[in-house]
């Protein structure tokens, strides 16, 4: 549970940084507090879905990652419509942001997993 909350908060932070960078590209001057909470709620929904998807067995890791990306993209499109994000940015920009954020999170997850493997290998060498 602790790791799940940490992942949600980290993803929300990454989302807000990417959103701020995109905002700078569009010469935006304001990031509303409602956008912060919308991003947080979206990330909670994403991680709940990913948690459920993790219960299924996948033969190929690429299929698992592809399904998760598809789930995230569909959820972002639905929430974008629900919170009227398309008035401020295009669908293409939103999808590009989503893929960038997803890629960063997968990369961070991979680094974390590598560190865990190194720790376990270190413990095994001690025995």
């Amino acid at each position: 549970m602790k790791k799940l909350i940490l992942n949600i908060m980290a993803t929300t932070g990454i989302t807000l940084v990417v959103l701020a960078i995109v905002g700078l590209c569009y010469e935006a001057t304001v990031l509303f507090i409602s956008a912060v909470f919308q991003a947080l709620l979206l990330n909670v929904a994403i991680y709940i879905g990913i948690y459920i998807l993790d219960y299924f067995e996948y033969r190929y890791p690429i299929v698992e990652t592809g399904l998760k990306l598809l789930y995230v993209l569909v959820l972002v499109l639905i929430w974008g419509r629900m919170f009227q994000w398309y008035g401020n940015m295009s669908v293409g920009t939103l999808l590009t942001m989503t893929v960038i954020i997803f890629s960063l999170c997968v990369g961070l997850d991979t680094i974390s997993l590598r560190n865990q493997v190194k720790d376990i290998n270190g413990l095994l060498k001690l025995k």
Side-chain angles (χ1 to χ4, degrees):
M1 185 66 155
K2 180 180 173 183
K3 184 178 178 184
L4 180 66
I5 292 171
L6 183 65
N7 285 344
I8 291 170
M9 292 301 165
T11 305
T12 302
I14 292 169
T15 302
L16 294 175
V17 169
V18 170
L19 183 60
I21 290 170
V22 169
L24 285 174
C25 293
Y26 282 101
E27 298 178 4
T29 56
V30 176
L31 179 63
F32 291 105
I33 195 74
S34 61
V36 174
F37 289 109
Q38 289 170 4
L40 176 62
L41 289 174
L42 174 60
N43 284 315
V44 168
I46 287 170
Y47 273 94
I48 288 171
I50 288 175
Y51 183 76
I52 292 168
L53 286 173
D54 282 340
Y55 275 107
F56 298 102
E57 290 288 326
Y58 301 98
R59 187 174 186 136
Y60 303 104
I62 192 80
V63 172
E64 178 181 5
T65 304
L67 283 174
K68 287 178 182 178
L69 179 59
L70 182 63
Y71 167 74
V72 170
L73 288 172
V74 168
L75 202 60
V76 166
L77 289 173
I78 291 170
W79 282 55
R81 179 114 171 138
M82 188 170 58
F83 289 120
Q84 300 168 354
W85 293 341
Y86 304 129
N88 300 322
M89 72 175 67
S90 68
V91 174
T93 304
L94 187 60
L95 293 178
T96 302
M97 283 177 50
T98 302
V99 170
I100 290 169
I101 294 165
F102 185 82
S103 300
L104 287 171
C105 290
V106 168
L108 289 174
D109 230 13
T110 303
I111 291 169
S112 174
L113 189 60
R114 283 183 57 196
N115 289 338
Q116 289 176 0
V117 168
K118 285 180 184 177
D119 290 345
I120 290 171
N121 286 337
L123 291 172
L124 289 174
K125 286 181 182 178
L126 291 175
K127 289 188 176 192

